[in-house]
Amino acid sequence: MYGITNCGSVKKARMFLEERGIDYEFIDFKKFPPTIELVRNWVEKQGIAKVVNNKGMTYKKLGLKDKNLSQEELLECCVQNPSLIKRPVVQRGDILLLGFDEEIYKENLC
C-alpha cells in the first residue's frame, strides 16, 4: 500500500486491512516518493484520470484545472508532488486499487 500517513482514506484502508488480519506493507510517499516508472504503470492499468486526485488540495494548489497538461506532464507532476496521486494505492498481484472503497476492498482483498 502506497500513501501518506495522515491521509484519511489511507487511515480507513489500513484499518480495514488490519481488522481483517490482511498483511500489507505501507510505503509512505513522503519518505519514498514513487518513480516515474511506477506511476506510469498505474496509469497504464487505470488511466491518468483515476491516478490523479483532481479533488485534492495539491491539484487545486498547483492550478492544474486551468492547465492543459499532457499525460507525460501529469506523470511528472505526480512524481514531483506525490500527494497529487489518489490514495491509497494498493497493489496485490494483478489487482490495483486507487482510493478507498470498502465494497471494492471486500471484493478484491478478502
Side-chain angles (χ1 to χ4, degrees):
M1 175 187 298
Y2 298 85
I4 296 171
T5 306
N6 63 352
C7 171
S9 294
V10 170
K11 288 178 183 178
K12 289 176 189 174
R14 292 179 81 174
M15 186 180 304
F16 175 93
L17 296 176
E18 289 164 10
E19 287 174 349
R20 288 158 180 79
I22 299 171
D23 290 332
Y24 68 95
E25 177 184 0
F26 180 71
I27 300 164
D28 190 337
F29 281 154
K30 300 280 186 185
K31 295 178 184 171
F32 305 99
T35 63
I36 189 87
E37 293 82 14
L38 184 60
V39 178
R40 187 174 283 123
N41 180 269
W42 296 338
V43 168
E44 287 171 3
K45 290 181 179 180
Q46 295 278 333
I48 193 74
K50 288 200 175 181
V51 172
V52 173
N53 181 6
N54 61 2
K55 293 183 173 121
M57 288 296 290
T58 303
Y59 188 85
K60 292 172 184 163
K61 226 164 55 173
L62 294 173
L64 297 181
K65 179 183 175 188
D66 302 323
K67 296 179 183 176
N68 190 18
L69 300 179
S70 69
Q71 181 169 299
E72 194 62 29
E73 290 169 318
L74 279 171
L75 285 171
E76 287 291 337
C77 284
C78 288
V79 172
Q80 293 168 8
N81 304 280
S83 55
L84 187 58
I85 299 169
K86 192 171 289 182
R87 302 173 303 272
V89 178
V90 175
Q91 282 190 290
R92 185 180 197 191
D94 291 337
I95 297 169
L96 176 65
L97 306 176
L98 298 160
F100 177 70
D101 180 312
E102 188 169 342
E103 291 307 312
I104 292 174
Y105 271 50
K106 284 178 183 175
E107 290 172 21
N108 289 282
L109 302 175
C110 294

